[in-house]
Amino acid sequence: MSKERYRELVDTLNKYGHDYYVKDSPTVSDAVYDSLVAELKGIEAEDPSIISSDSPTQRVGGAPLNKFEKFEHTQRMISLLDCFGVEEAKAWFERIKKLDTGVASAKFWVDSKKDGLACALHYQDGLLVRAVTRGDGFVGEVVTQNVKTISMVPLRLYNHPFAKGYTEVRGEIVMYKDDFDDLNKQRESDGEAQYMNPRNLAAGTIRQLDSKLVAARPLKFHAYDVLREDAKDIPTNTYAYKVAAELGFFINSEAHGESSLEMVLEYAKSFESKRARLAYHTDGIVVKIDDRSLQQALGTVGKNPRGAFAYKYPAEEATTIVKDIEISIGRTGAATPVAVFDPVVVAGTTVQHASLHNADEIERKDIRIGDTVVIFKAGDIIPQVDRVLKEFRPKDARRYNMESVLEKQFPDMEFMRPEGEVVYRTKSASGSILLKRALTHFASKVALDIDTLGEKNVIALIEAGYVRDIADIYLLTDEQLVKLDRFAELSAKNLINAINEKRSPKLGRFIFGLGIRHVGAQTAQELARHFKNLDSLGTASFDELRSIEGIGDI
């Protein structure tokens, strides 16, 4: 069989797949498609060396991986500022108008905000060479084999100037509501536990090491951005969407331009009632200044670009009874009261804890143990107590005294509430609890990402006396670890190897891992870019630190 025939089959079947999965407009019957696929498989079986990476047969998944490789994004995958309602959106607009006079007459690009997993697809000369998750925005995980199983992702780009050179297409991996419901119905009939929500299932699926399992799940890819090495190739967000569609990607029908912020907010109001009828979950809309050069000129603050925001709708609410209020000690010594209640489903996930922030917040909302409260998820992520339903308050509902609970729960620790602050903090910067929190943070995926050094192993090492300071982990030996119940010879060796792999971490991750108060992941990266090494940072003056974008007086 000629190579020409093979190439013809691959290209034609990919076109048929695009018509079916992206355009939702099949051009041949299933029987014709299956017959051509059978011919293709026959050719590949006869001569495996001919198999092309963009062949439809390569979507079924390859051999299971041991772990995912890491990859640094060509451009940071940023998150958006959340605006809850009209007033916050207007305040955003007033802020950025002060930074650039061109903002006042700016046009906007609007799209639905999908509740999925962000992913970047890298194409070189039209061929898909890499798919990378968002990760921490700077570095993601390479999940190419898994993403290839998604039928809406073109394995090759055709008939477009951007099919030459390097092109990156970013989008959201989602699972549609109906597909999710069908999966749960099947699991129910099989006597298995049901999945909680489509977003978590989509994210968990993409992080499966066996791509054959991914291929069995009905995932979709919705494109929302296109990047080129020359930024001038994509002058507006309107053009980015046009190009994405021309390259063969699915584009939301809701995506469109608006001529003013007032028009954007009018659309946001009308979209709230429509969003329930969409095939996928959404909690709002994404709003971007259309002119990308203007958007770029506005820069970023923290982890958010100034030239875009997410308009969020009110979160789903639920009621529950406060069983207790416990105190959690953070890595910086902050004492945070946490409400404990029976498990309840909010916005698709089961929660049984909610931060109460501080003693003043408890007093202001008059939250007592035994109260029936309304909880919601801020940004559909963090559970919070909105209000107390006082008509259900029992006679024995107990007021909460933060100071007496701190004294009782942590008798060996002293706390203070600095003047002008609402949070109680430990007087000492040391201690077993703080060390456990600090080391858990240091080893976490968002910091140094030390494999197998999770919270339980951290606790075991500190309680055994092997670790009295974060630096002590680099002195651990196999012989020490195997003496602990949690470790066998292999697991001890794995942990030592994982620690040794992170002896020379990237500066930004190391700074963030140190857990300095007020220094988040974005600030740590900015500090690393500015100072280049730890010594320069350590000797920096107040004025020099304050001059860095995103860092203020605090």
Side-chain angles (χ1 to χ4, degrees):
M1 187 63 66
S2 68
K3 290 184 179 179
E4 289 76 12
R5 175 62 177 172
Y6 178 74
R7 191 69 249 170
E8 183 180 48
L9 283 168
V10 169
D11 292 348
T12 303
L13 285 167
N14 279 334
K15 180 185 181 302
Y16 289 159
H18 176 258
D19 292 341
Y20 182 87
Y21 292 107
V22 178
K23 292 185 174 180
D24 195 22
S25 179
T27 48
V28 295
S29 67
D30 289 350
V32 170
Y33 184 87
D34 292 343
S35 177
L36 292 171
V37 169
E39 182 184 350
L40 182 73
K41 288 180 177 178
I43 296 173
E44 292 180 343
E46 194 172 302
D47 180 12
S49 67
I50 202 174
I51 298 175
S52 171
S53 62
D54 65 328
S55 169
T57 63
Q58 300 308 293
R59 291 191 185 276
V60 299
L65 301 172
N66 293 321
K67 63 178 182 179
F68 293 114
E69 295 179 10
K70 299 295 176 63
F71 186 85
E72 188 168 349
H73 291 298
T74 54
Q75 292 182 31
R76 185 181 173 206
M77 291 190 77
I78 49 182
S79 54
L80 298 178
L81 170 74
D82 288 337
C83 289
F84 293 92
V86 170
E87 294 308 314
E88 289 189 19
K90 288 181 176 178
W92 163 83
F93 194 48
E94 292 302 316
R95 286 196 302 272
I96 64 171
K97 280 198 294 188
K98 295 176 183 176
L99 299 172
D100 195 306
T101 54
V103 169
S105 58
K107 292 181 171 58
F108 297 89
W109 185 254
V110 180
D111 193 3
S112 57
K113 185 179 180 297
K114 294 157 288 295
D115 195 13
L117 175 75
C119 188
L121 310 181
H122 299 208
Y123 291 85
Q124 186 63 47
D125 293 326
L127 191 67
L128 177 63
V129 294
R130 189 182 302 106
V132 189
T133 63
R134 181 200 295 274
D136 64 0
F138 295 95
V139 177
E141 293 181 316
V142 178
V143 290
T144 314
Q145 280 188 203
N146 289 350
V147 169
K148 277 186 172 184
T149 69
I150 302 174
S151 300
M152 293 171 80
V153 172
L155 302 181
R156 183 183 288 276
L157 309 177
Y158 292 96
N159 303 322
H160 195 282
F162 290 179
K164 293 181 179 179
Y166 171 81
T167 299
E168 182 176 337
V169 179
R170 293 181 172 182
E172 202 86 5
I173 296 172
V174 297
M175 182 174 288
Y176 286 0
K177 298 173 187 174
D178 287 348
D179 292 329
F180 177 76
D181 291 341
D182 289 344
L183 278 175
N184 266 343
K185 287 175 185 174
Q186 184 60 51
R187 289 180 69 84
E188 185 178 17
S189 66
D190 293 342
E192 297 180 299
Q194 296 201 350
Y195 298 117
M196 286 307 301
N197 64 66
R199 190 212 176 276
N200 287 357
L201 180 56
T205 297
I206 284 298
R207 298 200 73 257
Q208 291 282 340
L209 292 172
D210 187 349
S211 56
K212 288 185 173 64
L213 296 176
V214 183
R217 302 251 175 97
L219 298 177
K220 306 290 192 295
F221 183 84
H222 292 202
Y224 62 69
D225 201 4
V226 178
L227 305 179
R228 293 277 288 172
E229 288 178 306
D230 186 351
K232 294 177 182 176
D233 284 348
I234 314 284
T236 64
N237 286 304
T238 299
Y239 187 63
Y241 273 64
K242 178 177 180 290
V243 166
E246 291 170 349
L247 291 172
F249 290 90
F250 179 87
I251 301 300
N252 288 331
S253 59
E254 298 79 35
H256 67 285
E258 294 285 4
S259 58
S260 67
L261 184 67
E262 288 72 23
M263 296 296 290
V264 169
L265 297 177
E266 279 296 316
Y267 174 76
K269 184 178 179 181
S270 66
F271 182 69
E272 183 170 10
S273 60
K274 297 176 184 175
R275 65 190 180 108
R277 298 193 292 272
L278 293 176
Y280 53 87
H281 284 288
T282 173
D283 59 354
I285 60 174
V286 172
V287 182
K288 302 176 183 177
I289 288 178
D290 196 35
D291 184 332
R292 288 167 73 127
S293 61
L294 176 55
Q295 188 179 353
Q296 186 70 24
L298 288 168
T300 61
V301 55
K303 60 182 180 179
N304 307 131
R306 289 193 178 96
F309 71 93
Y311 185 97
K312 304 292 279 291
Y313 297 108
E316 182 183 324
E317 296 180 333
T319 59
T320 188
I321 297 173
V322 177
K323 300 290 187 183
D324 199 359
I325 299 177
E326 298 177 346
I327 293 177
S328 172
I329 307 297
R331 57 187 170 82
T332 62
T336 302
V338 177
V340 181
F341 39 79
D342 289 333
V344 61
V345 176
V346 186
T349 56
T350 302
V351 297
Q352 57 188 115
H353 300 93
S355 172
L356 299 177
H357 304 295
N358 53 66
D360 286 0
E361 185 76 352
I362 295 174
E363 184 69 24
R364 183 178 71 81
K365 292 182 176 178
D366 190 17
I367 300 170
R368 305 182 190 183
I369 296 171
D371 272 342
T372 297
V373 295
V374 176
I375 61 170
F376 71 103
K377 287 176 117 182
D380 281 358
I381 296 174
I382 304 169
Q384 296 190 33
V385 173
D386 180 57
R387 60 191 183 278
V388 175
L389 298 178
K390 293 184 179 178
E391 58 269 32
F392 294 102
R393 174 169 284 167
K395 292 180 180 179
D396 59 351
R398 289 182 285 131
R399 288 185 177 275
Y400 188 76
N401 186 304
M402 184 89 172
E403 291 188 355
S404 65
V405 172
L406 283 170
E407 187 176 337
K408 183 178 179 180
Q409 193 171 336
F410 304 100
D412 299 329
M413 301 173 70
E414 286 188 83
F415 293 85
M416 61 178 178
R417 180 173 170 174
E419 188 175 347
E421 293 190 18
V422 296
V423 176
Y424 284 87
R425 297 184 180 278
T426 57
K427 283 188 177 180
S428 172
S430 60
S432 173
I433 292 176
L434 294 187
L435 179 57
K436 288 172 184 175
R437 300 288 188 274
L439 182 52
T440 300
H441 169 74
F442 185 79
S444 67
K445 286 187 177 298
V446 292
L448 266 69
D449 191 14
I450 301 177
D451 193 30
T452 74
L453 189 53
E455 184 179 9
K456 290 181 179 178
N457 281 345
V458 164
I459 292 171
L461 293 172
I462 292 173
E463 291 184 349
Y466 292 160
V467 175
R468 294 183 173 85
D469 180 272
I470 288 178
D472 287 347
I473 65 171
Y474 296 104
L475 303 176
L476 291 170
T477 64
D478 296 22
E479 291 77 13
Q480 286 178 308
L481 295 183
V482 294
K483 294 177 183 177
L484 302 178
D485 291 339
R486 291 190 57 80
F487 293 93
E489 188 173 333
L490 179 60
S491 56
K493 189 175 187 62
N494 287 342
L495 178 55
I496 296 298
N497 288 341
I499 292 171
N500 286 335
E501 285 177 6
K502 301 299 166 70
R503 282 184 178 271
S504 300
K506 289 189 176 182
L507 181 58
R509 281 181 171 265
F510 182 73
I511 294 171
F512 179 55
L514 292 177
I516 303 168
R517 191 178 167 201
H518 300 304
V519 177
Q522 168 62 19
T523 301
Q525 295 293 343
E526 297 293 349
L527 290 170
R529 272 194 286 272
H530 183 86
F531 291 104
K532 310 299 183 189
N533 61 69
L534 204 59
D535 288 340
S536 297
L537 171 61
T539 57
S541 67
F542 178 82
D543 288 338
E544 187 177 6
L545 287 167
R546 190 171 54 175
S547 70
I548 300 170
E549 184 177 357
I551 297 179
D553 288 359
I554 292 177

